[in-house]
Amino acid sequence: FNEVTTLFHEFGHALHGMLANSKYESLSGTSVFWDFVELPSQIFENWCYEKECLDLFAKHYETGEKIPEDLIERIKKASNYLQGYQTVRQISFGLLDMAYHSQDPSQIEDIFDFEKEVMKKTELLPSVPNTLMSTAFSHIFQGGYSSGYYSYKWAEVLDADAFELFQEKGVFDEETAKSFQKNILAAGGTEHPSILYKRFRGRDPQPDALMRRAGLVKKQ
Ligand SMILES: [Zn+2]
């Protein structure tokens, strides 16, 4: 199943490039703000949980039988496994990253104390004595995510919120798909993401959809 979601994810990046319709390379396709680049890819992963989509290709290799409904339900349920912990953990990394990059480093005297203080807010399980996240946090010191680690979670906010529009209108609704193509995929970085997003969604992104998808709040 991971292979399927990965394929859909990467194909989203591919479509961002293939459907690009802008004059300048530097504003085209995936050349968007860092915290917007994973929307086109992550949103496509949502279709992997939709029967309508799975029925197109998820068939038994010998009998051609479509993937059974109860199996899809089990996949959906399993996707919420440890979501509470995962959510808090991702947020703690984002906060730690921001803490490092939003103050004068010469003022940080003790990495251990500094990290402990920042992580306190999100600490769920007792930390292992004499271990540190900071020294292993290659994403923000050598991986290009400096002051941008939050973008992982932010992209989830965007993709969950955007996908709810497809769920409302139909996962293969042509009008919604065309709007996503025009306002998000084709536009690239020609306008500010918040303007593009609003044009597609009709409003600013809201975190509620992600909370619902993660099973952290009840669906109405
Ligand atoms: Zn990606």
Side-chain angles (χ1 to χ4, degrees), residues 9-10 13 37-38 41-42:
H9 178 108
E10 302 305 341
H13 284 309
V37 75
E38 295 297 333
S41 52
Q42 283 183 193

Side-chain angles (χ1 to χ4, degrees), residues 92-106:
S92 76
F93 293 161
L95 287 172
L96 182 63
D97 169 35
M98 273 301 177
Y100 272 117
H101 291 98
S102 54
Q103 60 186 282
D104 180 358
S106 68

